[in-house]
Amino acid sequence: MSATQRQVTIANLGLGNLHSVVQSFVRLGVTATITADPDELRRAERLVFPGQGAFRECAEVLSGEVGPALRDFIATGRPYLGICLGMQALFDTSEESEGQGLGVFPGRVVRFASDMHDEATGERLKVPHMGWNQVQTTHPMLEPDGWYYFVHSYYVVPDDPGLVAATSLYGTRFCAAVARDNVFACQFHPEKSHHAGARLLERFLAQ
Amino acid sequence: MLARRIIPCLDVKDGRVVKGINFVGLRDAGDPVECAARYSEGGADEICFLDITASHDERRTLFELVERTARAIAVPLTVGGGVRERRDVHDLLHAGADKVSTNSGAVANPSFVAEASRAYGSQAIVVAIDAKRVSAPGEPTRFSVFTHGGRRDTGLDAIEWAKRVVDLGAGEILLTSMDRDGTRDGYDIELTRAVVDAVSVPVIASGGVGNEAHIRDGFLLAGADAALAASIFHDGQHTVAEVKHYLLAAGVRVRPPEESDGPGPEGAAS
């Protein structure tokens, strides 16, 4: 099947700007359907949940009809891609604020420590972790030692270490991607990660 | 670990990239969308647009331009110039900018920085500081904040101002040395180091880059998180990929250019 025939649905939950995610798929020849409608989310052939911003707002949105729709979609076994907050939302709770995530995977979201230092230079590390970093991975969606663009202050800690599909190093070794069955989610932004990000989205479309 | 970033900067006037020294004798340097795409292909980590369009009416051109650029590139885009109120931030982010930079707007109304960072997140708000050495020889070094393209001395101390805007919610500082801008003598290392040491957010060094070694010094001596440069890229003197290979050899952690990121058209003149 060519890329132009593939369908992708982007969950529009009002959590940040969808502009660049949509454009990334357009560049791959795919026109995305953008929706917040629970039934449309359930029917999606392939679903992307991008998000930036606060966990509290995210939890509020998920406590409505959208949360069950996303869980139903994931249960269908069709490909799911979570990006940034869309990754954190798969877990139970966050240090950032009260509220419940989807709880698809047991685990929590924690903040980078404020007193981290670079092991090599001794420089104080800034939070948010913003910029390009390398991931350590053997997962087929990613490239070993690939560079991706991150903007975040929080990261997920899955209860099950087997979920971790990639890690990255910033003061501490943190979880940069999780994967299980049809679910793949990354803390970085493939839509901002130039060719490496586009290749990830291509692989997602090929699933 | 996190890489240091290379950010080509495009001065945009009436929808075109312009270049000139100290805003005098501006020459057309091409279509911003094409330039941004070329730099991003060459391995630029981020692209910065600074709009120097004088008239407010022509701001529409900028929004349309930001939209087209955001469609063309898959790296972060920072846009600045004439950003004074929340509406400007909103419009630029919705046109596809990832970060919005404000300079005179922050000086005129510091609470705007707080308001904008609360509404859109600190990571989206960059405060640009144009600093100039104002101490006489022999006096303790002092840098003052200038606005309006370097024409107006605000009397604010640059280091104190940087701390203040970070407290207000700025997620990043774009620090330009007015003394070095356009000189090709290298970044002002003393100024940059002072701001890097004073604030807890990333600092982008700007003003004065004439060669690759200046960028290396901005990282290794001044401790900048990102390096902004314009003319060395516009003139075809160096490609982004060349600069990155140089930095890697010098021991600076940068995202290496991909094999396919070769010199491309920007290398034509070198």
Side-chain angles (χ1 to χ4, degrees):
Chain A
M1 192 188 267
S2 77
T4 48
Q5 292 167 293
R6 290 183 190 134
Q7 303 286 319
V8 63
T9 299
I10 298 178
N12 178 14
L13 308 188
L15 302 166
N17 205 327
L18 301 181
H19 196 286
S20 25
V21 177
V22 174
Q23 290 308 326
S24 295
F25 283 108
V26 169
R27 279 192 292 271
L28 297 174
V30 178
T31 305
T33 304
I34 301 156
T35 185
D37 179 74
D39 290 328
E40 269 195 87
L41 293 173
R42 283 188 179 88
R43 284 199 304 269
E45 184 180 307
R46 214 178 254 102
L47 188 66
V48 183
F49 177 3
Q52 290 160 275
F55 188 84
R56 183 186 301 276
E57 286 169 51
C58 178
E60 271 170 28
V61 173
L62 297 178
S63 68
E65 284 183 64
V66 167
L70 291 174
R71 276 191 288 263
D72 289 349
F73 173 84
I74 288 171
T76 66
R78 295 194 292 267
Y80 174 98
L81 174 63
I83 299 173
C84 196
L85 199 51
M87 174 194 197
Q88 299 178 4
L90 290 168
F91 292 82
D92 298 317
T93 56
S94 173
E95 273 184 9
E96 185 179 352
S97 66
E98 291 174 5
Q100 288 289 316
L102 290 168
V104 171
F105 301 130
R108 63 206 174 93
V109 182
V110 302
R111 193 174 205 278
F112 280 113
S114 53
D115 57 350
M116 301 186 301
H117 289 80
D118 185 316
E119 283 174 25
T121 64
E123 283 176 8
R124 186 165 38 107
L125 296 177
K126 296 156 186 180
V127 179
H129 171 230
M130 181 175 68
W132 295 81
N133 207 334
Q134 250 178 321
V135 301
Q136 284 68 52
T137 181
T138 55
H139 195 274
M141 285 284 277
L142 299 168
E143 288 146 33
D145 299 322
W147 290 86
Y148 300 93
Y149 187 79
F150 291 81
V151 188
H152 64 123
S153 301
Y154 296 82
Y155 60 92
V156 304
V157 181
D159 286 354
D160 174 4
L163 275 172
V164 177
T167 62
S168 187
L169 186 62
Y170 191 64
T172 182
R173 187 157 287 286
F174 70 93
C175 176
V178 294
R180 173 144 304 160
D181 304 326
N182 58 318
V183 176
F184 182 89
C186 49
Q187 184 58 66
F188 55 82
H189 290 269
E191 76 279 14
K192 289 288 155 198
S193 298
H194 202 224
H195 292 318
R199 288 192 294 266
L200 192 168
L201 298 179
E202 285 267 26
R203 291 179 200 119
F204 172 68
L205 290 171
Q207 283 183 326
Chain B
M1 287 296 294
L2 197 61
R4 311 272 176 175
R5 288 170 282 152
I6 302 293
I7 310 178
C9 180
L10 306 170
D11 289 319
V12 176
K13 188 172 194 298
D14 303 332
R16 299 289 292 177
V17 178
V18 292
K19 60 179 182 185
I21 293 174
N22 300 327
F23 301 109
V24 180
L26 294 176
R27 280 196 296 129
D28 190 297
D31 175 55
V33 182
E34 283 172 24
C35 287
R38 193 165 70 227
Y39 293 142
S40 124
E41 278 308 300
D45 298 304
E46 203 168 309
I47 301 290
C48 181
F49 275 5
L50 291 182
D51 181 49
I52 56 170
T53 305
S55 137
H56 198 76
D57 296 344
E58 282 150 0
R59 297 282 290 173
R60 288 293 124 202
T61 315
L62 177 67
F63 297 134
E64 188 260 349
L65 185 64
V66 169
E67 268 177 30
R68 286 198 294 132
T69 307
R71 278 204 292 273
I73 63 169
V75 298
L77 175 66
T78 299
V79 182
V83 174
R84 303 186 155 272
E85 49 189 276
R86 186 167 160 175
R87 180 82 213 170
D88 300 325
V89 178
H90 173 274
D91 290 351
L92 288 170
L93 292 177
H94 278 261
D98 296 284
K99 307 180 200 177
V100 171
S101 161
T102 178
N103 181 346
S104 306
V107 172
N109 178 19
S111 66
F112 161 60
V113 175
E115 189 195 339
S117 65
R118 264 200 307 274
Y120 303 104
S122 285
Q123 83 293 334
I125 307 301
V126 180
V127 171
I129 299 177
D130 290 346
K132 194 176 165 75
R133 207 175 277 259
V134 289
S135 42
E139 286 178 3
T141 312
R142 203 181 95 81
F143 297 96
S144 189
V145 176
F146 280 66
T147 57
H148 298 81
R151 293 189 301 277
R152 195 175 297 175
D153 184 355
T154 63
L156 292 165
D157 178 82
I159 315 299
E160 292 307 313
W161 175 239
K163 287 190 205 167
R164 174 141 183 243
V165 295
V166 169
D167 286 343
L168 288 168
E172 200 163 28
I173 301 289
L174 166 51
L175 178 67
T176 301
S177 160
M178 301 301 300
D179 302 302
R180 295 300 178 90
D181 203 25
T183 64
R184 296 180 169 249
D185 289 340
Y187 295 123
D188 187 323
I189 299 296
E190 186 184 3
L191 167 70
T192 311
R193 174 48 82 181
V195 174
V196 165
D197 288 345
V199 300
S200 56
V201 302
V203 175
I204 306 167
S206 160
V209 169
N211 60 46
E212 303 148 310
H214 293 151
I215 295 182
R216 174 200 63 201
D217 292 348
F219 290 136
L220 296 185
L221 300 180
D225 298 274
L228 189 111
S231 52
I232 71 160
F233 298 131
H234 299 339
D235 293 351
Q237 183 189 348
H238 291 292
T239 65
V240 177
E242 282 169 2
V243 168
K244 286 194 153 182
H245 285 303
Y246 172 89
L247 292 169
L248 286 166
V252 180
R253 194 161 48 214
V254 291
R255 176 178 65 112
E258 293 199 14
E259 289 301 314
S260 60
D261 288 345
E266 67 186 313
S270 58

